[in-house]
Amino acid sequence: EFRRVLFRSAARPWSRYHHERPAESDLKQWFQRGENIAVVCGASSDRLIVLDIDDEEWVAWTLRHKTLLKKFWVVETGSHKLHIYCRSRGDLTTESLDQGDRHLGEIRGQGAYVVAPPSRVDEDDHDQMYHQLWGDAEKIPVVHDAKALFRSLVGEIGRAHV
């Protein structure tokens, strides 16, 4: 169940949730206060892994090709980037995605977290809400190897610019 892997804002220590889930009573308390939430990625979250797309051109390409990712839960971040959620039977390590000196984003796995809807960010360059674009947070799909899938998308965006 998706709600079981959510926890309070990163302003509170969160590293323990890489190995254990928060108590149901803690979750209820955090959600009642309406605070920002984040999702711990990795094994403790039923092998959750998130593609964090930072590159504006890749965001635009993904939105144009959303039928390729229609089964995934996709979130627009406060800075108008994308998070694509799935569960993976494969490698869960976190890694940066780059093409040469161009930073595209990250694969957020074990040891990482992402901010999730309905959080609101308040930073120097943006003050926006996170919101769902498509998919279902309660039905995040399981794939054989999410990192291989995400890397194939990097290849697609690379071919689109050749």
Side-chain angles (χ1 to χ4, degrees):
E1 181 174 280
F2 185 71
R3 287 172 293 155
R4 292 187 53 80
V5 300
L6 298 175
F7 69 100
R8 191 187 183 301
S9 169
R12 181 179 296 227
W14 60 274
S15 60
R16 72 185 247 200
Y17 299 113
H18 288 291
H19 308 289
E20 64 184 72
R21 292 177 183 236
E24 196 68 34
S25 59
D26 288 336
L27 289 169
K28 286 179 183 177
Q29 183 181 41
W30 297 336
F31 279 95
Q32 285 174 347
R33 290 193 294 229
E35 299 179 22
N36 285 345
I37 58 172
V39 179
V40 173
C41 301
S44 67
S45 298
D46 297 328
R47 304 192 61 82
L48 185 72
I49 194 164
V50 178
L51 175 59
D52 180 357
I53 301 176
D54 295 326
D55 180 77
E56 290 179 14
E57 290 180 41
W58 196 12
V59 167
W61 182 92
T62 302
L63 295 174
R64 285 192 311 273
H65 296 88
K66 71 182 187 179
T67 56
L68 297 173
L69 300 164
K70 65 183 176 183
K71 69 180 180 176
F72 297 94
W73 188 42
V74 178
V75 168
E76 182 178 36
T77 72
S79 58
H80 307 291
K81 306 303 184 345
L82 298 178
H83 288 168
I84 301 173
Y85 291 70
C86 69
R87 300 188 191 287
S88 181
R89 292 186 186 104
D91 179 17
L92 294 175
T93 57
T94 296
E95 70 179 64
S96 183
L97 296 171
D98 302 294
Q99 282 184 330
D101 61 355
R102 180 178 169 197
H103 177 68
L104 299 174
E106 298 88 29
I107 296 173
R108 305 256 177 161
Q110 191 67 35
Y113 73 93
V114 292
V115 177
S119 298
R120 180 179 190 85
V121 295
D122 183 14
E123 297 182 10
D124 292 340
D125 61 341
H126 58 279
D127 178 17
Q128 301 289 322
M129 295 289 294
Y130 281 61
H131 67 278
Q132 173 178 310
L133 292 179
W134 68 82
D136 187 340
E138 298 290 336
K139 297 178 183 172
I140 295 173
V142 177
V143 299
H144 176 70
D145 186 348
K147 290 179 77 170
L149 171 69
F150 295 158
R151 285 188 204 109
S152 73
L153 293 174
V154 171
E156 289 296 320
I157 191 66
R159 282 188 286 283
H161 289 95
V162 174

